[in-house]
Amino acid sequence: MNTTATILGLFQGMPQQRWEGKAPSAIHKTRTETPVEVTLTGLSGDRQADTEVHGGPEKALHIYPSEHYAHWLQEFPETTQTFHSGGFGENISSSGFTEEDLCIGDILAAGSVRLQVAQGRQPCWKLNLHTGNPAMAASFQKTGRTGWYFRVLETGKIAAGDDLRLVERPCPEWNLRDVILARFNPRLDPDIALALSRLDQLAEPWRASFAKKAGPGYQEDTSRRLKG
């Protein structure tokens, strides 16, 4: 089992008007070469355009495993311009962990901060426009290669080259990749959905979504999120 990964790069961005007739986005981020202050809501100098669905304490930092980019290069060889560290709007690019290596609630140390795995990423239409690939968001969701969000338990500084070390695992029964796939599974076992809705370490919006999935006959429409 991997217990240590490496931060390959840190990325910050500000909201920009990227696409005519569409809302602004901060998905385009720039690598920073210096140590960065981490607050309870993320990297200092990083902002979100739509704070109703992005950012906040439960989604303070998005991390994406660099290991996944090889898959996307093979899957979509015609749209390769963003398939590199920082290309999907992540704050942290890492090597050493993928979703399969971690669990919801895992606590990790990096630099002088403590971070906790809170939820996976729910991709939206902005990822399609950012990559120039209309199938990108749906493929993210289908494969479970979404990366994940950290909440910040202890603020401090991190830098490229720092180790990410697993220091505590309170929920070993809830593998992160399994939970991500469960979130997007339209035929999820209601008992699993109910259990996840009661998992304190899981971000509140995902708990609420699982509570809905536990109900009889519930069907989620993701078309607007995925296609815009």
Side-chain angles (χ1 to χ4, degrees), residues 73-102:
L73 283 166
Q74 183 176 8
E75 185 75 10
F76 299 114
E78 71 282 3
T79 54
T80 63
Q81 69 275 10
T82 56
F83 297 160
H84 53 77
S85 290
F88 288 149
E90 64 265 35
N91 300 117
I92 302 172
S93 176
S94 67
S95 176
F97 289 139
T98 67
E99 295 84 353
E100 293 181 356
D101 296 305
L102 297 174

Side-chain angles (χ1 to χ4, degrees), residues 11-201:
F11 301 87
Q12 302 158 301
M14 300 294 285
Q16 302 173 22
Q17 191 66 55
R18 296 280 308 280
W19 312 290
E20 186 176 354
K22 294 288 188 179
S25 173
I27 195 172
H28 176 72
K29 299 190 185 297
T30 303
R31 183 188 295 267
T32 178
E33 303 296 341
T34 58
V36 182
E37 195 76 30
V38 178
T39 72
L40 292 176
T41 53
L43 295 181
S44 177
D46 186 65
R47 296 289 184 273
Q48 294 80 36
D50 184 354
T51 55
E52 288 190 10
V53 293
H54 297 117
E58 297 281 71
K59 294 187 284 186
L61 294 166
H62 179 250
I63 181 170
Y64 199 76
S66 63
E67 290 88 342
H68 290 336
Y69 280 109
H71 168 83
W72 299 121
L73 283 166
Q74 183 176 8
E75 185 75 10
F76 299 114
E78 71 282 3
T79 54
T80 63
Q81 69 275 10
T82 56
F83 297 160
H84 53 77
S85 290
F88 288 149
E90 64 265 35
N91 300 117
I92 302 172
S93 176
S94 67
S95 176
F97 289 139
T98 67
E99 295 84 353
E100 293 181 356
D101 296 305
L102 297 174
C103 297
I104 293 294
D106 277 359
I107 297 174
L108 296 95
S112 57
V113 307
R114 290 275 176 122
L115 308 171
Q116 186 172 40
V117 176
Q119 66 169 75
R121 176 177 176 176
Q122 288 186 189
C124 73
W125 56 268
K126 292 180 181 180
L127 186 63
N128 298 339
L129 295 181
H130 176 66
T131 60
N133 181 353
M136 195 74 244
S139 296
F140 243 54
Q141 183 167 295
K142 181 179 179 180
T143 63
R145 292 180 171 92
T146 69
W148 61 93
Y149 285 101
F150 286 125
R151 63 173 65 92
V152 178
L153 301 182
E154 295 180 17
T155 62
K157 286 188 176 182
I158 56 175
D162 284 347
D163 285 339
L164 273 167
R165 294 177 290 104
L166 177 64
V167 295
E168 189 176 340
R169 173 160 288 170
C171 308
E173 68 277 21
W174 292 114
N175 176 263
L176 175 59
R177 185 171 189 272
D178 290 346
V179 173
I180 291 170
L181 293 175
R183 174 64 189 86
F184 304 127
N185 182 357
R187 295 175 293 278
L188 183 65
D189 184 325
D191 290 339
I192 294 176
L194 183 61
L196 284 165
S197 75
R198 296 171 175 173
L199 183 64
D200 289 340
Q201 291 82 358

Side-chain angles (χ1 to χ4, degrees), residues 188-221:
L188 183 65
D189 184 325
D191 290 339
I192 294 176
L194 183 61
L196 284 165
S197 75
R198 296 171 175 173
L199 183 64
D200 289 340
Q201 291 82 358
L202 187 62
E204 191 281 329
W206 274 40
R207 295 202 309 270
S209 293
F210 280 118
K212 292 178 182 178
K213 291 169 81 75
Y218 176 72
Q219 292 185 333
E220 183 178 14
D221 183 3

